Amino acid sequence: MFMAKIEVVMPQLGESLTEGTIVKWHKKPGDKVRRDETLLEISTDKVDSEIPSPVSGVVTRLLFDEQKTVAVRTVIAEIETEGSETVLASAPPEAPSVSPPAIKPFTFTRPPSPPRVPAPPSGRFYSPLVLNIAREGGISMPELEQIPGSGEGGRVSKKDILAYVEARKKGAPTPGAAPSVAPAAASTIPSAPRIEAGLRHIDSGELTKKYPPPQYEILQMSNLLQKMSEHMVRSVHTSPHVQAVHECDMSKVDAIRRNHADGFEKREGFKLTFMPFICDAAVKALQQFPLVNSSIEGDKIILKKFVGLGIAVASENGLIVPVIKNAEEKNFVGLARTVNDLATRTRSKRLLPTDIEGGTFTVTNYGVFGTMVGIPIINQPQVAILGIGVVKKRPVVINASEGGAIAIRSIAYLTLSFDHRIVDGALGGSFLATIVKHLENFDENQIV
Amino acid sequence: MTYLEAISEGLREEMRRDTSVILLGEDIGTYGGAFKVTKGFIEEFGEGRVIDTVLGEAAIIGAATGAAIAGMRPVAEMQFADFVTNGFNQLVNVSAKYYYRNFIPVPMVVRLPSGGGMHGGPFHSTNPEAWFFHVPGLKLVAPSTPYDAKGLIKAAVRDPNPVLYFEHKYLYRHLKSEIPDEDFIVPIGKADIKREGNEITVVTYSTGVHWALDAAVAMEKEGVTVEVVDLRTLLPLDKEAILNSVKKTGKALIVHEDTLTGGIGAEIAALISERAFQHLDAPIKRVASMDTPVPYAPTLEKYFLPNTEKVLMALRELAAY
Amino acid sequence: MARTSTDNKTVRSRAKAQQQTRTHLDGGLSKEDLLKLYYVMRLTREFEDTILRLYQQGKIVGSAYSGNGNEATSVGTAYALEKHDYLFPLHRDMGAHFVKGQGVRNLMLQHLGRGNSLARGRDGTGHYSDPSLRIYGNISHLGAMVPVATGVALACKLRREKSVVMTYIGDGGANVGEVHEGLAMASVMRLPLILIIENNQYAYSTPIFKQILVEKLSDRAIGYGIHGITVDGTDVLEVLRVSREAVDRARRGEGPSIIESVTMRMHGHAAHDNAWYVPTKLLEEWKKKDPIGRFEKLLVSEGLLTNQKRESMLKDIEAQIEEALLLTESSPDPPGEEAAQGLYGE
């Protein structure tokens, strides 16, 4: 005879019931109980009921006291049976009289989850299909960003990307299929301030005789103008100017700028322009090439351990170059704020004399006028000046090492004019290349 | 022959082929049916197989279920699809669940003359497929052409499960085409590409097929090719056909005459989104009737229903996206 | 038969009892039939008591029903059927299942929803079908099976089969529209349908006087132009007699009959309901008319049922139930994945 432990559970006497209360135990541990003999009484929301024992045996444990409320199907008691008592003398149980029929399987397939895609920096919408085609065609996000879209809202449609993939395969220039990009910013060139309007008209004896009106008009140069004129002549006479020009792919910078435009403006209160990027790159390069951040006294080179970054600003009265003091201590946002501050105060004529002192290097952005390549004059006593040309979308060759493909990129030409007394072509070229490298690989994380 | 004649012909062929096929319905015997689908049947097959029942859809559908369980193949007619609601309990609780619970097949067909466009008003124009689309155990078919109508009624009669056959009243006499003589079946569960195209997929059935085909002709002139997938069977859906077409074109428009909210188009849209998201170049669009009862006056009904122009507009929007 | 008393009353009642038995013996009921009727009623009661206990032990989930007090009706009506006749029982008609030939094992497995039960766990209680015995189980919607039974009866008539269809409804269920539609069709088409209205005085907690105005539910037959009769549902021989008449009538092609069998629902609506709303006095009165007790008394007084015989019957019933319990305990639950299978017939 073997013993078996049987667990008695709280029954569910009604479909919606979840618990029952033990009202009274009719047995205690050690008591014998017969099958179907009342073991306990329970109470539920619906009914009070006597619960018969499921087996015959000896009650060994009562797990809950009377008046305890317990969830249905919880074990509430244990009974030791005498095991073999209920074994039938006759044959073992057979299968039911009717064997249930075989059931055909009913397939349920889980749909596959789509691969993850990085967010496009420009915020332009790409449909799942377009992203799929791009991925299959090995088109990276930056490349995708350059494809013109003829779909709604200028989005790249299936047709657009398929055409691009075709053209890319053939190596042909990307078809100008209904370009929705606005034509070159001819209408957006800022007009130069009219200097002569602010100058004093002169009527000066000798000169008026030599240049009489109405064919001639004589104006008195302003102080600023005299200074500039004098400075420029002196500069050319002092420094043997050599120029290096470098092509710079500003696509990444442009994308970052556009990506963060709204957020930046919201936070800082002014627009994010190219200048802070250029300043940042220049400062880094100057730290790498300290000779470019110096001046000359006779046969001595005065190395500056600080960077005073001058930003050439076209004002009403002429060219002014306010200086970002200790630019090497500023991060990107700091540079942006300072540039903005100086530009604003320049235009509102609130610059202080100290603002234009202490420069060690100058940046001049004539690109705003649409100038592609410039040959600037060094701002004495500095030994170099960086000129930035217009940022324009141009067809260029990419992946040249793998055969090459034509892509559309935002390109600008950077010019470094430098003083060949101490800066030779190698140094000038390397310095400029470094700036370009910083710009082309600008780290987006600097922005925030 | 017309769409209506095709249904008649299909039924007649099945009744000649298998003596266990019987018809039950109101006015189907002596009168030949409200729409004359069973005209001449009682003369050919007798009162023992063409039964003019009492008025009572629960009795009709329940009796069809019982006869099916007992080994016959009954085809019950609802005089108008709208009246099936009186037998709703029988269909969804007895017929639909019977095999799953008892493993006894219920080879019955319920014919449902459905649809609007004939000024039938709110109780003679319903498309009730969405109610039953949600009931596992039923099969639903909705032919759009005479060929499909004949092939599907025959397939429905031969299917061992309860099949709801949605025959569109407007198509009864408005469609006519040549149909082969031989004994052919349109398999249940298989859609049909009624027109091939590359730019946009239209998933549709019944009257929707015709609006879509007409609109597709216009779109072709505008340089956009449209693929029209005629579901033919609503339950079980031919998911592969739908997905393959959408994967080919990248744009999907679902069209049905049934009202929009909770129409089966919603399920199809969910299916496409779940299984073909990667292949979508545009959001999924639907064209369907307004979410109101079917109005009676012709101007109101026209406003309520979809039509070729509405489908065309949707196609143009999709093409431009 | 030796007289053991000279009391007139006793003599009269015994004579009446003898006459009853003799009538039935004359009417084609053998001694074996009578003992079988008794056995099945007893089996039904013992089986249902077991089911109730299993429910209280938490081994049956959902709900469980009993036809305690209804045994004469369920057994008596079904006993009038032949093997080839169809049965569409309701939830208090376990007796009918047994009469039709269903085994204790199958019904036990079915109630516990085991994987090897006839419904394979897809449905519980009596919601199963067994075509080999021509038993077609009900669904929870009362009245829904009447049009279906009508359909089966239609098939029988169309195929010129001599089979009849017997189905059941309660006093409350009789008000459901589908019952009317089924009867309307069966009547005008003279289909071989027999409807047993089990008037057990209560529909859940609703007493009969809140359900109908008429005295006799069988009067509804007048509305259909068919035969209707009300019978004492605790008298198994009476129930059997009128059932046979109805079955014969149907087989002759004379159409449907309504048999109202008057009993009492001795337990609650279901195992979770203790029927506190039923007046105790009513229950006490009906207890005196317990169908099994009544019939047992009759058989004993006729000398057809000895103590020994009775004990051996009970032992046999107990053994069957025991064995069925053992089988059920060791039978597996249906595997979860089976839920996704077998939606459509092939």
Side-chain angles (χ1 to χ4, degrees):
Chain A
M1 289 257 228
F2 66 95
M3 304 295 234
K5 185 180 84 169
I6 303 298
E7 291 177 335
V8 181
V9 297
M10 174 64 73
Q12 185 182 31
L13 300 184
E15 288 155 63
S16 56
L17 294 178
T18 56
E19 57 187 24
T21 305
I22 298 169
V23 170
K24 181 162 182 250
W25 285 109
H26 283 229
K27 299 282 177 186
K28 55 185 193 299
D31 285 349
K32 272 210 174 111
V33 66
R34 279 189 331 276
R35 200 191 63 193
D36 298 333
E37 194 187 344
T38 301
L39 179 62
L40 75 155
E41 282 169 45
I42 66 165
S43 167
T44 68
D45 284 345
K46 280 202 177 172
V47 70
D48 291 355
S49 189
E50 286 177 358
I51 305 302
S53 173
V55 290
S56 299
V58 176
V59 176
T60 52
R61 278 179 81 193
L62 300 181
L63 280 78
F64 294 93
D65 291 333
E66 291 173 359
Q67 304 318 317
K68 274 277 182 300
T69 301
V70 175
V72 298
R73 290 188 277 281
T74 308
V75 179
I76 54 175
E78 286 172 9
I79 299 172
E80 286 273 0
T81 69
E82 274 114 57
S84 62
E85 182 202 274
T86 49
V87 169
L88 268 188
S90 58
E94 294 159 30
S97 58
V98 176
S99 57
I103 301 179
K104 284 222 126 176
F106 180 76
T107 47
F108 168 70
T109 44
R110 189 165 281 279
S113 34
R116 313 204 73 223
V117 170
S122 65
R124 192 158 68 151
F125 171 72
Y126 298 101
S127 72
L129 178 62
V130 167
L131 288 175
N132 213 16
I133 296 172
R135 191 180 42 254
E136 279 166 15
I139 298 171
S140 65
M141 181 53 78
E143 196 181 339
L144 189 55
E145 294 271 69
Q146 303 308 310
I147 301 174
S150 69
E152 184 161 305
R155 74 170 195 111
V156 174
S157 70
K158 169 184 170 187
K159 205 165 65 169
D160 298 329
I161 191 164
L162 285 178
Y164 179 84
V165 166
E166 267 307 301
R168 202 157 155 269
K169 268 199 217 130
K170 295 180 185 152
T174 41
S180 62
V181 183
S187 52
T188 59
I189 299 170
S191 45
R194 294 208 48 192
I195 308 282
E196 66 273 21
L199 295 178
R200 221 165 10 111
H201 170 86
I202 294 291
D203 218 340
S204 158
E206 300 276 313
L207 227 42
T208 313
K209 273 200 191 109
K210 198 167 166 198
Y211 303 104
Q215 284 152 303
Y216 302 100
E217 188 184 355
I218 304 166
L219 300 171
Q220 176 60 53
M221 276 169 113
S222 66
N223 276 343
L224 192 60
L225 220 49
Q226 280 180 56
K227 278 210 171 70
M228 181 177 88
S229 132
E230 182 195 72
H231 180 273
M232 292 306 170
V233 171
R234 183 166 45 87
S235 183
V236 175
H237 283 163
T238 307
S239 305
H241 281 62
V242 175
Q243 284 83 19
V245 179
H246 213 295
E247 186 184 84
C248 184
D249 186 343
M250 294 290 279
S251 305
K252 186 162 191 196
V253 167
D254 189 34
I256 295 171
R257 192 179 63 89
R258 273 190 280 128
N259 207 22
H260 291 265
D262 283 356
F264 188 92
E265 193 174 358
K266 233 183 220 130
R267 278 195 316 274
E268 299 296 325
F270 58 90
K271 279 193 168 27
L272 179 61
T273 63
F274 283 113
M275 276 315 272
F277 294 86
I278 294 162
C279 294
D280 187 81
V283 169
K284 287 194 170 73
L286 287 166
Q287 287 170 311
Q288 281 177 262
F289 297 92
L291 205 59
V292 183
N293 194 53
S294 65
S295 60
I296 302 168
E297 302 266 340
D299 63 350
K300 313 276 190 293
I301 299 169
I302 317 297
L303 288 175
K304 319 272 169 71
K305 304 294 188 177
F306 59 91
V307 174
L309 196 61
I311 312 292
V313 181
S315 78
E316 261 178 60
N317 305 316
L319 185 67
I320 298 182
V321 188
V323 174
I324 303 172
K325 303 270 204 306
N326 293 106
E328 81 281 0
E329 283 172 9
K330 292 188 177 4
N331 63 10
F332 180 88
V333 177
L335 287 171
R337 286 181 189 159
T338 314
V339 167
N340 178 63
D341 170 57
L342 291 172
T344 309
R345 283 194 290 120
T346 305
R347 281 191 282 273
S348 56
K349 296 189 199 154
R350 287 186 290 117
L351 278 179
L352 302 168
T354 47
D355 287 326
I356 57 173
E357 288 166 6
T360 62
F361 184 85
T362 301
V363 175
T364 173
N365 183 2
Y366 37 77
V368 297
F369 304 108
T371 302
M372 191 173 82
V373 179
I375 324 265
I377 295 176
I378 294 166
N379 190 11
Q380 299 297 331
Q382 297 162 15
V383 296
I385 181 169
L386 176 69
I388 320 289
V390 67
V391 180
K392 197 169 170 186
K393 281 200 174 18
R394 298 183 189 288
V396 294
V397 174
I398 56 164
N399 300 334
S401 52
E402 290 126 25
I406 293 181
I408 296 173
R409 292 279 199 253
S410 294
I411 303 292
Y413 293 101
L414 271 57
T415 306
L416 187 77
S417 280
F418 50 92
D419 187 333
H420 210 298
R421 285 180 291 167
I422 61 166
V423 182
D424 64 4
L427 175 59
S430 307
F431 175 77
L432 185 57
T434 304
I435 292 181
V436 169
K437 195 168 100 166
H438 282 309
L439 285 170
E440 286 187 346
N441 300 289
F442 207 89
D443 181 10
E444 192 177 1
N445 292 319
Q446 287 183 243
I447 309 297
V448 284
Chain B
M1 55 172 59
T2 63
Y3 179 95
L4 187 146
E5 285 162 349
I7 300 171
S8 271
E9 190 64 16
L11 264 178
R12 204 177 279 116
E13 282 177 17
E14 289 307 294
M15 289 189 79
R16 286 176 187 153
R17 183 179 167 272
D18 181 355
T19 52
S20 73
V21 180
I22 58 171
L23 306 181
L24 296 110
E26 296 158 18
D27 310 300
I28 61 165
T30 314
Y31 192 69
F35 297 99
K36 305 294 178 213
V37 173
T38 50
K39 183 159 177 225
F41 276 61
I42 200 169
E43 289 82 359
E44 180 174 347
F45 301 104
E47 280 179 353
R49 294 182 67 195
V50 182
I51 299 164
D52 275 324
T53 63
V54 297
L55 198 161
E57 284 73 22
I60 294 168
I61 293 176
T65 308
I69 288 168
M72 303 194 88
R73 297 198 102 98
V75 179
E77 178 184 297
M78 297 286 99
Q79 196 157 86
F80 283 83
D82 308 61
F83 303 136
V84 74
T85 48
N86 286 14
F88 192 79
N89 188 43
Q90 287 293 315
L91 258 181
V92 312
N93 280 313
V94 188
S95 322
K97 298 179 184 175
Y98 213 81
Y99 182 77
Y100 187 80
R101 299 183 312 108
N102 296 297
F103 314 107
I104 298 170
V106 183
M108 63 188 268
V109 179
V110 182
R111 286 179 39 238
L112 298 133
S114 5
M118 293 146 303
H119 325 309
F123 308 105
H124 289 74
S125 316
T126 306
N127 289 295
E129 59 266 17
W131 295 331
F132 303 102
F133 186 67
H134 192 57
V135 180
L138 295 179
K139 292 193 179 179
L140 277 59
V141 300
S144 69
T145 62
Y147 180 91
D148 290 334
K150 184 173 180 199
L152 277 175
I153 190 69
K154 288 161 75 77
V157 170
R158 298 186 199 185
D159 196 296
N161 297 284
V163 180
L164 303 188
Y165 183 92
F166 296 93
E167 44 195 72
H168 202 289
K169 304 196 288 298
Y170 186 86
L171 298 179
Y172 271 161
R173 295 185 166 86
H174 279 92
L175 280 186
K176 204 174 191 164
S177 63
E178 289 296 322
I179 298 182
D181 267 334
E182 71 261 11
D183 175 32
F184 68 91
I185 289 284
V186 167
I188 294 181
K190 282 257 158 292
D192 183 38
I193 312 285
K194 287 289 196 283
R195 186 188 173 102
E196 286 190 12
N198 291 308
E199 272 78 52
I200 303 176
T201 295
V202 179
V203 181
T204 183
Y205 58 95
S206 195
T207 43
V209 172
H210 302 283
W211 298 322
L213 287 173
D214 287 344
V217 168
M219 288 303 283
E220 175 120 51
K221 298 202 180 89
E222 294 170 26
V224 176
T225 60
V226 172
E227 182 151 292
V228 178
V229 179
D230 180 0
L231 290 173
R232 301 198 298 191
T233 297
L234 309 181
L235 188 73
L237 269 181
D238 188 346
K239 298 182 181 174
E240 290 319 304
I242 297 169
L243 295 170
N244 285 344
S245 180
V246 175
K247 285 176 184 173
K248 179 171 131 189
T249 63
K251 291 182 176 176
L253 173 67
I254 302 163
V255 178
H256 56 59
E257 191 186 295
D258 191 8
T259 57
L260 181 70
T261 299
I264 74 172
E267 172 66 29
I268 296 168
L271 169 75
I272 295 172
S273 169
E274 271 174 1
R275 304 256 301 262
F277 183 72
Q278 287 291 91
H279 302 266
L280 284 176
D281 193 37
I284 303 163
K285 281 181 91 66
R286 294 175 293 168
V287 171
S289 286
M290 269 169 32
D291 289 323
T292 64
V294 186
Y296 164 65
T299 48
L300 296 178
E301 193 187 24
K302 180 157 191 265
Y303 189 85
F304 162 88
L305 287 171
N307 51 44
T308 304
E309 282 70 53
K310 292 181 185 175
V311 175
L312 188 56
M313 252 169 52
L315 286 170
R316 285 194 181 121
E317 278 175 38
L318 265 179
Y321 184 83
Chain C
M1 200 132 319
R3 285 188 197 185
T4 53
S5 159
T6 52
D7 181 90
N8 274 352
K9 207 158 143 205
T10 318
V11 167
R12 270 202 298 279
S13 70
R14 191 180 295 141
K16 183 161 182 245
Q18 278 176 350
Q19 194 168 41
Q20 256 188 319
T21 325
R22 240 176 268 126
T23 311
H24 289 290
L25 286 170
D26 292 341
L29 272 186
S30 65
K31 189 171 149 191
E32 283 70 39
D33 282 324
L34 294 171
L35 288 175
K36 178 110 192 266
L37 284 169
Y38 175 77
Y39 178 87
V40 178
M41 285 202 287
R42 264 268 170 243
L43 171 62
T44 304
R45 180 152 305 170
E46 293 304 313
F47 177 81
E48 288 193 322
D49 281 351
T50 308
I51 293 299
L52 246 60
R53 275 199 300 276
L54 288 169
Y55 181 84
Q56 285 164 335
Q57 289 160 354
K59 293 180 178 170
I60 292 181
V61 298
S63 48
Y65 298 94
S66 102
N68 192 300
N70 200 46
E71 294 87 352
T73 301
S74 62
V75 171
T77 51
Y79 208 83
L81 298 175
E82 306 283 325
K83 260 188 141 58
H84 57 88
D85 292 325
Y86 296 85
L87 182 76
F88 279 75
L90 220 53
H91 51 291
R92 303 200 196 283
D93 302 312
M94 273 303 125
H97 289 254
F98 288 124
V99 168
K100 241 347 193 120
Q102 193 53 272
V104 178
R105 283 185 206 138
N106 273 348
L107 285 175
M108 187 77 74
L109 289 168
Q110 172 59 26
H111 276 82
L112 272 81
R114 290 293 193 258
N116 55 343
S117 65
L118 285 167
R120 291 177 81 135
R122 270 89 163 355
D123 208 341
T125 61
H127 295 191
Y128 75 93
S129 292
D130 191 344
S132 71
L133 299 175
R134 300 208 165 173
I135 299 175
Y136 296 88
N138 60 310
I139 70 168
S140 305
H141 294 64
L142 295 169
M145 299 318 286
V146 176
V148 184
T150 301
V152 174
L154 174 67
C156 292
K157 180 164 184 184
L158 294 177
R159 295 190 294 215
R160 294 187 217 284
E161 289 168 14
K162 283 295 164 197
S163 304
V164 305
V165 184
M166 183 176 279
T167 190
Y168 300 69
I169 193 69
D171 39 284
N175 273 344
V176 167
E178 277 151 295
V179 175
H180 161 69
E181 283 197 35
L183 278 173
M185 181 185 269
S187 310
V188 78
M189 296 185 78
R190 294 206 192 279
L191 301 179
L193 179 76
I194 299 112
L195 177 67
I196 315 292
I197 301 182
E198 296 171 313
N199 182 350
N200 63 6
Q201 314 308 314
Y202 274 84
Y204 209 145
S205 72
T206 310
I208 189 78
F209 63 84
K210 281 192 183 175
Q211 206 75 247
I212 51 171
L213 272 185
V214 295
E215 276 289 321
K216 293 197 287 175
L217 278 165
S218 61
D219 279 347
R220 286 187 180 172
I222 299 169
Y224 298 104
I226 61 177
H227 194 272
I229 190 167
T230 296
V231 73
D232 177 358
T234 64
D235 183 339
V236 66
L237 294 179
E238 264 304 290
V239 170
L240 176 54
R241 186 180 66 78
V242 304
S243 298
R244 277 195 159 168
E245 279 174 14
V247 167
D248 289 343
R249 193 176 298 122
R251 240 191 267 291
R252 286 194 303 268
E254 288 167 27
S257 309
I258 292 177
I259 298 174
E260 179 191 11
S261 184
V262 181
T263 64
M264 177 64 197
R265 196 190 75 200
M266 296 307 288
H267 286 171
H269 164 68
H272 59 74
D273 170 37
N274 69 354
W276 53 267
Y277 41 80
V278 178
T280 323
K281 211 160 144 250
L282 190 64
L283 281 169
E284 280 164 7
E285 268 177 43
W286 280 95
K287 197 142 188 124
K288 295 184 199 142
K289 295 192 254 180
D290 176 50
I292 297 177
R294 271 182 75 162
F295 196 53
E296 186 178 302
K297 235 203 223 133
L298 176 66
L299 292 178
V300 165
S301 71
E302 289 300 309
L304 293 170
L305 184 66
T306 61
N307 262 344
Q308 193 196 32
K309 183 88 194 149
R310 201 172 117 261
E311 283 315 306
S312 107
M313 274 189 181
L314 281 174
K315 251 199 160 65
D316 189 81
I317 289 170
E318 244 179 66
Q320 278 193 72
I321 292 177
E322 260 317 305
E323 191 240 29
L325 272 173
L326 263 185
L327 169 70
T328 306
E329 302 271 291
S330 60
S331 292
D333 286 326
E337 312 79 71
E338 263 190 27
Q341 297 166 356
L343 179 66
Y344 288 125
E346 293 291 310

